[in-house]
Amino acid sequence: MTTDETAEGHGAQPIVFGRRLAHSDTFKSLFREGMALVEETAGYLDGDGRSESRELSRGASLGYATESMRLTTRLMQIASWLLLQRAVNEGEMTAEQAGQEKAKVRLRGYSSAVTGPAWEELPERLRDLVERSVRLQERVIRLDDALSGALPEPAADNPVSHALGRLARAFGGAD
């Protein structure tokens, strides 16, 4: 029985997994990883990345500029989200205040084409940073969804989703 339930089981409140995760060591590790990736990326783009980009063909150079801008933007959005969540965890902001600020943060929409000839021409280190940032972005999105109570979108042809929908309709729920 959770602390949110009464002895009779009435008035049970769902456990908000996202809140627990946001206050866990997992979040702290995610925060450290995110901030370290921001620093590593800045160091690369200001150092080795500059010299590597000068050696690229014209087309690859354009790809480098595009991907480095996407990478920087993605990481700044992730860092903003992580800093807001840490402020909530440490009591510096309320969840409502952070929610208003998080509404300005865009975690989605900074995709990168991580295949194809243009991708293969980019320096290996840039490709590694982009791939790691995309994986980090996906983890932050999942945590953000868990905190907001959003459920992931089911796959279009998901038999489990169809079965759950039929059950919900059978018991008077919506699907």
Side-chain angles (χ1 to χ4, degrees):
M1 180 174 353
T2 69
T3 57
D4 295 294
E5 294 178 332
T6 62
E8 299 83 36
H10 298 286
Q13 298 294 318
I15 296 173
V16 182
F17 176 72
R19 282 193 210 127
R20 289 185 183 217
L21 184 60
H23 291 280
S24 70
D25 287 338
T26 302
F27 173 78
K28 292 174 187 168
S29 174
L30 182 69
F31 181 87
R32 284 190 302 272
E33 180 184 343
M35 293 302 126
L37 188 57
V38 167
E39 286 185 39
E40 181 183 350
T41 299
Y44 169 75
L45 293 175
D46 285 340
D48 293 343
R50 282 182 196 235
S51 56
E52 289 177 355
S53 69
R54 289 186 197 117
E55 299 170 11
L56 298 173
S57 69
R58 185 174 178 92
S61 182
L62 177 60
Y64 180 94
T66 302
E67 287 306 321
S68 63
M69 286 190 330
R70 286 180 182 157
L71 173 62
T72 303
T73 302
R74 180 182 307 114
L75 287 175
M76 290 301 101
Q77 296 298 309
I78 291 169
S80 296
W81 189 94
L82 290 169
L83 288 166
L84 285 166
Q85 187 57 49
R86 185 180 71 172
V88 171
N89 293 354
E90 294 180 357
E92 297 169 4
M93 294 180 91
T94 66
E96 293 75 28
Q97 290 170 322
Q100 291 172 351
E101 293 302 315
K102 282 181 183 179
K104 301 173 191 173
V105 175
R106 287 191 55 212
L107 292 174
R108 292 169 168 86
Y110 298 107
S111 61
S112 293
V114 294
T115 58
W119 174 254
E120 297 301 323
E121 288 184 55
L122 297 177
E124 184 177 339
R125 182 109 180 265
L126 178 66
R127 288 182 293 165
D128 176 63
L129 291 167
V130 168
E131 289 169 346
R132 288 168 46 207
S133 73
V134 168
R135 286 192 304 270
L136 180 65
Q137 176 186 24
E138 290 167 355
R139 289 167 49 208
V140 169
I141 287 171
R142 282 193 304 270
L143 179 54
D144 186 58
D145 287 348
L147 284 168
S148 68
L151 296 174
E153 291 290 321
D157 244 358
N158 182 339
V160 174
S161 177
H162 293 295
L164 289 174
R166 287 194 306 270
L167 282 171
R169 285 189 300 276
F171 290 102
D175 53 356

